[in-house]
Amino acid sequence: MQTERPIIIAGGGPVGLVTALALARQGFEVRVFEADARINDSPRAATTHAATLEMLERLGLVDEVIRCGLIEPKFRIWDRASREIIAEFDFSMLKGDTRYPYVVQCEQHKLCNLALERLRALPNAEVEFAARLVGFAQGDSGIEAEVESARGVRRVSGSYLIGADGGRSTVRKTLGIEFEGYTHPERFLVLTTPYPFGGEFAQCSRNYFSDPDEWAALFKVTGDGGRGLWRVLFPVRPEESDEQAFADSGVQARLQRFFPSPNAYPVVHRNIYGVHQRVAASFRKGRVFLAGDAAHVNNPLGGLGLNFGIHDGLELCSLMTRVARKEAPPAILDEYDCIRRPLNVEYVQEQTIANKKRLEEKDPAVRAKNNAALRATAGNAVAHRAYLLKASLIDSVRKRKAGSA
Ligand SMILES: Cc1cc2nc3c(=O)[nH]c(=O)nc-3n(C[C@H](O)[C@H](O)[C@H](O)COP(=O)(O)OP(=O)(O)OC[C@H]3O[C@@H](n4cnc5c(N)ncnc54)[C@H](O)[C@@H]3O)c2cc1C
């Protein structure tokens, strides 16, 4: 329908594919170009929050996400040294606020595959793998993108371009938009093991361990075999090389220090990531938009980055649909940057920075104060609900709606 030329999306990660599905379901012609030959299945996001589940419901994806994932209403914050629970939060408190009073732990590559399957069934959507956007030019009426594949470099015309091409976004760099913020000195190591932590953590599959020397996080995902895998996340200090962090001896020592076991831990996957808190200075320039990690990156404590990226995609789809249906003038597209950028700072950057700071705090007096505050929040029904409305991004969606009312 609405646009004469397709909307071009650079990046077939979760944000690119879900955004493409939302747009294609509204009748837009959509073309996605993904640089890799296949969907990336390295262990990254899994936690899908209530506000996002509601959006996935509108796309007809939520039942399958729940089927592929693991429902978890709670999360716990522990003191690592004493193994005492500092506070337990329970999304069941949000029963009156959402149809999904829990998170679903569903690995992001599964969401990608579900979206891809739907896109392939739509005549107005095309997804091309091993095709990299290498440049583009924009005019008053459209976009000319340059796409490189085994066939060489070709030009593709579009109406708009969405850069969903991740943290190192070519689209953002080509636009010359600053990625403002900072990089944490430490990297994050993710170890995936079938070790049955369930014995000790049977009642809760999302756990954060606060510690002045080495905090940790422990999450369960279903895994591809459906039998369940645990991911353990640790910080890696700048002086430790990737090789040292990946070495079997280092991996076993870290896991044994975290949770002593008589046997060696089976480790099926190990990965290390640089961690940043950065937000693009603008999410839009003319006919080009940034969404997901191309627009903002953050540490994964709280599980917010991908969730917010999906919200970006749905916001953009809603604005473009209103323009295409002539329900609103094209100037309304300005709202995308005006709304998404401050919401990211308030809900994603602030929460993830605070979560990390609290877990790693070294000063005993500050730790005690933080722990007392967490206990007080968890112990008071009004404060508990308010905390979870923010943590689940329901508040950010409500704030956006209130602003447009
Ligand atoms: C350890 C870890 C745990 C995390 N846990 C959570 C969590 O629980 N919940 C949560 O919400 N978030 C989490 N995140 C964050 C989440 O993984 C990211 O926010 C998410 O991957 C962003 O999706 P995206 O589609 O924007 O970018 P990406 O997943 O990076 O996808 C971008 C895609 O673009 C492609 N691409 C790049 N350049 C080009 C180009 N020039 N042309 C064409 N294609 C291109 C890439 O190949 C890639 O497939 C976690 C991150 C990490 C590292």
Side-chain angles (χ1 to χ4, degrees):
M1 67 167 190
Q2 303 99 339
T3 53
E4 286 153 28
R5 284 175 285 177
I7 296 172
I8 298 172
I9 299 183
V15 172
L17 292 173
V18 170
T19 304
L21 180 61
L23 289 164
R25 281 167 59 96
Q26 293 302 321
F28 289 101
E29 295 282 333
V30 184
R31 293 188 73 178
V32 180
F33 296 101
E34 165 55 46
D36 282 350
R38 62 189 68 81
I39 282 169
N40 181 342
D41 63 0
S42 65
R44 291 177 72 188
T47 303
T48 316
H49 285 288
T52 313
L53 293 168
E54 291 185 7
M55 293 179 191
L56 295 177
E57 178 187 288
R58 297 208 292 276
L59 296 180
L61 283 176
V62 77
D63 291 340
E64 287 198 76
V65 165
I66 290 174
R67 184 181 55 75
C68 295
L70 191 156
I71 290 180
E72 180 53 81
K74 294 180 187 160
F75 67 95
R76 287 176 171 172
I77 304 171
W78 302 70
D79 178 71
R80 177 173 166 173
S82 65
R83 290 227 167 269
E84 278 170 17
I85 297 174
I86 300 166
E88 176 180 284
F89 289 91
D90 187 347
F91 286 104
S92 310
M93 297 283 287
L94 304 185
K95 274 196 183 99
D97 295 283
T98 173
R99 289 182 293 286
Y100 305 99
Y102 44 75
V103 305
V104 175
Q105 295 285 105
C106 175
E107 298 96 314
Q108 70 180 56
H109 69 274
K110 294 181 181 169
L111 175 63
C112 287
N113 281 316
L114 290 171
L116 180 63
E117 197 182 296
R118 301 294 170 91
L119 283 165
R120 286 199 163 135
L122 294 173
N124 52 327
E126 211 179 286
V127 182
E128 190 177 329
F129 284 89
R132 177 181 290 277
L133 179 111
V134 289
F136 60 87
Q138 60 171 318
D140 289 344
S141 59
I143 294 281
E144 288 293 317
E146 283 176 36
V147 177
E148 184 176 50
S149 65
R151 292 189 270 156
V153 177
R154 66 189 189 281
R155 278 171 174 271
V156 181
S157 300
S159 52
Y160 295 103
L161 169 64
I162 300 175
D165 49 346
R168 297 188 180 132
S169 173
T170 300
V171 175
R172 188 188 65 241
K173 288 177 188 162
T174 307
L175 290 172
I177 293 176
E178 278 296 305
F179 211 17
E180 296 169 347
Y182 61 93
T183 296
H184 291 285
E186 65 272 58
R187 288 100 71 223
F188 284 12
L189 174 70
V190 185
L191 302 173
T192 307
T193 174
Y195 177 84
F197 279 109
E200 293 85 7
F201 296 103
Q203 292 158 31
C204 183
S205 58
R206 293 183 72 220
N207 300 279
Y208 297 96
F209 296 82
S210 140
D211 192 89
D213 296 324
E214 188 188 55
W215 56 264
L218 176 69
F219 297 92
K220 192 174 184 188
V221 293
T222 46
D224 285 338
R227 294 177 58 194
L229 291 171
W230 288 88
R231 289 183 185 165
V232 201
L233 184 68
F234 298 104
V236 175
R237 294 205 177 94
E239 58 275 18
E240 188 175 350
S241 68
D242 287 5
E243 292 70 31
Q244 285 166 328
F246 274 164
D248 279 339
S249 54
V251 164
Q252 290 300 331
R254 231 180 198 111
L255 287 167
Q256 290 290 351
R257 252 193 339 262
F258 171 63
F259 207 92
S261 158
N263 302 313
Y265 275 88
V267 176
V268 295
H269 205 288
R270 48 194 92 183
N271 218 333
I272 200 158
Y273 299 90
V275 192
H276 318 270
Q277 307 286 158
R278 292 186 185 273
V279 184
S282 171
F283 286 13
R284 177 191 179 197
K285 206 167 196 179
R287 296 186 157 265
V288 187
F289 300 84
L290 300 175
D293 277 19
H296 43 76
V297 287
N298 53 273
N299 80 62
L301 301 168
L304 292 173
L306 172 55
N307 282 269
F308 197 88
I310 291 173
H311 299 201
D312 290 342
L314 269 81
E315 172 75 47
L316 199 44
C317 174
S318 154
L319 293 170
M320 285 181 164
T321 304
R322 287 168 66 195
V323 172
R325 289 187 182 151
K326 305 213 179 326
E327 292 166 8
I332 201 169
L333 294 172
D334 287 342
E335 285 193 7
Y336 181 69
D337 175 57
C338 298
I339 288 167
R340 298 305 298 161
R341 200 179 178 285
L343 280 182
N344 183 272
V345 172
E346 181 178 355
Y347 288 92
V348 178
Q349 303 299 329
E350 283 182 12
Q351 288 198 88
T352 55
I353 290 168
N355 289 344
K356 179 171 180 291
K357 211 163 176 293
R358 211 167 32 221
L359 285 186
E360 70 193 6
E361 180 57 56
K362 289 198 183 302
D363 182 330
V366 179
R367 288 177 64 77
K369 199 170 144 222
N370 289 344
N371 293 350
L374 278 172
R375 283 191 192 102
T377 304
N380 173 295
V382 174
H384 193 136
R385 174 172 165 265
Y387 182 88
L388 293 179
L389 284 172
K390 208 167 175 194
S392 61
L393 293 180
I394 291 175
D395 260 1
S396 76
V397 172
R398 287 183 179 170
K399 186 161 186 178
R400 193 297 177 241
K401 276 197 188 133
S404 64

